[in-house]
Amino acid sequence: MNRNLLGIVALIAVGMTLIIGLAVAGSRPSNGQTLPVQPPAQMAQASAPSTADLLADRVLGNPNAPVTILDYSSMTCPHCAAFHTETLPKIKEAYIDTGKAKLIFRDFPFDQAALRASMLARCAPAERYYPLLDVLFKSQGQWSRAADPVKALAQYGKLAGMSEQVINACMANQALADGILQSRLVGQDKYKVEATPTFVLNEGAATISGAQSFETFAAAIDKLVK
């Protein structure tokens, strides 16, 4: 099997994973209400969200959870991908799904490809943000090494139900790009983030650097759970 065929097969597999994940996210939002999955045509017709809406925090878990985990990651960082694919599912099961902790992803791009991936995710409907992040991290080795990462990312956007018009407008949104870069500066200035991934728990009550084990996160979270 040649490399081109392997790439097509991989993209189809990722697409199926994304479609299933987004369908679940669309039908089971965090507020417990039933939300039908929007087809691409409806998404394209929806009014464009403001830059403030695009940059708003996306909370994974109960907003009132006693422990807040700020996840400063770059979309092209292999260690960040390792955390999201290997460790986060365990944290989600033990702490996020049980209401003990919530996670907020904070963009910390180190290169243009990471910035564009962050922009794409933020242009997706809020309830589909984390499923799309999950797929982008799992397929990081494909789109980040493509000859044209933006073109490769667009394919994942389309699989997430975003129209070409929405994707193009997203990639051209300089205010969004500036806002993401400003978020990185806040992480540097306020929390002294220098490398990714870096996790800030409860406004600095604890800080974890690198893709540490689940046990490391569990020990830190357990100390903060009230």
Side-chain angles (χ1 to χ4, degrees):
M1 186 177 294
N2 61 40
R3 292 181 62 186
N4 288 338
L5 185 56
L6 282 172
I8 294 172
V9 171
L11 184 58
I12 292 173
V14 170
M16 291 303 296
T17 300
L18 180 56
I19 289 169
I20 294 171
L22 294 179
V24 171
S27 60
R28 296 180 183 177
S30 58
N31 61 11
Q33 297 177 351
T34 300
L35 179 67
V37 177
Q38 276 188 306
Q42 286 180 271
M43 290 177 62
Q45 295 171 3
S47 58
S50 67
T51 301
D53 288 337
L54 295 177
L55 291 168
D57 281 341
R58 308 286 194 261
V59 180
L60 181 63
N62 184 346
N64 298 317
V67 178
T68 300
I69 305 170
L70 299 182
D71 172 7
Y72 282 93
S73 289
S74 172
M75 295 301 299
T76 52
C77 159
H79 293 298
C80 302
F83 167 79
H84 275 263
T85 57
E86 299 170 14
T87 308
L88 181 55
K90 298 177 184 177
I91 296 174
K92 186 175 183 298
E93 180 180 4
Y95 294 101
I96 296 176
D97 291 347
T98 57
K100 297 177 181 178
K102 61 181 178 290
L103 182 137
I104 300 174
F105 188 88
R106 293 284 173 84
D107 301 292
F108 203 89
F110 276 122
D111 51 48
Q112 277 294 317
L115 175 60
R116 297 300 173 179
S118 290
M119 292 172 69
L120 180 73
R122 289 196 169 272
C123 288
E127 71 275 7
R128 303 182 183 188
Y129 178 74
Y130 282 104
L132 182 53
L133 278 189
D134 181 58
V135 170
L136 290 177
F137 273 123
K138 287 179 178 177
S139 59
Q140 183 189 82
Q142 282 132 13
W143 60 263
S144 67
R145 298 173 187 171
D148 187 344
V150 174
K151 183 177 180 180
L153 284 167
Q155 299 305 311
Y156 293 97
K158 291 176 182 177
L159 290 170
M162 301 165 69
S163 69
E164 185 173 355
Q165 180 182 2
V166 169
I167 294 170
N168 290 340
C170 179
M171 292 296 103
N173 190 335
Q174 189 58 47
L176 174 59
D178 292 343
I180 289 173
L181 294 175
Q182 180 61 35
S183 175
R184 170 179 165 163
L185 290 176
V186 171
Q188 289 176 309
D189 295 340
K190 185 175 182 178
Y191 299 115
K192 310 306 177 186
V193 177
E194 297 179 350
T196 57
T198 294
F199 307 89
V200 180
L201 281 64
N202 284 9
E203 293 295 318
T207 300
I208 299 173
S209 299
Q212 302 295 334
S213 67
F214 166 74
E215 288 74 21
T216 298
F217 284 91
I221 295 171
D222 285 341
K223 290 180 181 179
L224 298 174
V225 173
K226 298 179 181 179

